[in-house]
Amino acid sequence: MASSSSRPSAPSEHPDGWPGKDLGLPEDGPRSVGRIGRRIVALLIDGALADLIAYVTGVWSPVNGSGDIAHSWVQLAIFAALQVLFICLLSGSFGHICVGLRVVPMRGGYVGVWRPVVRTVLLCLVVPALIIDRDSRGAHDRIAGTVLVRR
């Protein structure tokens, strides 16, 4: 059986090299696109922090559950408020900071206030965050004009 000189790319490989190459970002190191593992861990940390705040304020109890749907909305509001606050002030949520990621605008400069608000609303809707392009940016990042990169 003859071997072909051109090998097909594996599904996990980026077709043109690496995620972020089209955006002018490096393959690895600082300012490279944050990988999925770090993103998931950051999201879990942010969710746990929102749950902790909900528990401390009496909105939620891990033993008794949330009681009604209003409590779940309050937990989501806490999560969203933390996202916007931390991204505006520190260029990343608490979870992003813990795993070494930050949110930066595509055109450079300060991320501002409207980008974190738009990004967070779309993140809370879940579906836009699941629509990922070949540069590993979710629709919530593309619409907000941001990219999640390593610190």
Side-chain angles (χ1 to χ4, degrees):
M1 194 179 265
S3 65
S4 172
S5 63
S6 67
R7 65 178 181 90
S9 62
S12 63
E13 291 182 16
H14 188 272
D16 296 328
W18 63 85
K21 183 176 181 181
D22 296 339
L23 304 174
L25 300 175
E27 184 173 2
D28 56 4
R31 287 211 37 100
S32 64
V33 172
R35 301 302 196 263
I36 190 73
R38 285 179 188 237
R39 292 172 184 223
I40 291 172
V41 171
L43 189 61
L44 292 174
I45 291 170
D46 291 335
L49 180 62
D51 286 346
L52 177 65
I53 291 172
Y55 176 71
V56 169
T57 59
V59 173
W60 176 73
S61 171
V63 176
N64 299 330
S66 60
D68 64 17
I69 194 73
H71 291 96
S72 297
W73 285 107
V74 171
Q75 281 179 278
L76 185 62
I78 291 170
F79 174 83
L82 289 172
Q83 288 285 311
V84 171
L85 178 69
F86 274 91
I87 293 172
C88 285
L89 295 177
L90 303 172
S91 295
S93 70
F94 182 74
H96 292 150
I97 293 166
C98 289
V99 299
L101 297 173
R102 66 185 173 133
V103 177
V104 296
M106 288 302 302
R107 296 183 182 213
Y110 174 60
V111 75
V113 176
W114 73 269
R115 283 183 175 92
V117 169
V118 168
R119 184 182 191 278
T120 300
V121 167
L122 294 171
L123 178 64
C124 289
L125 292 174
V126 179
V127 174
L130 297 175
I131 302 170
I132 298 174
D133 67 7
R134 66 186 193 175
D135 287 314
S136 294
R137 288 179 31 189
H140 64 302
D141 274 323
R142 284 193 315 272
I143 292 169
T146 58
V147 63
L148 192 59
V149 298
R150 292 177 57 187
R151 288 189 179 266

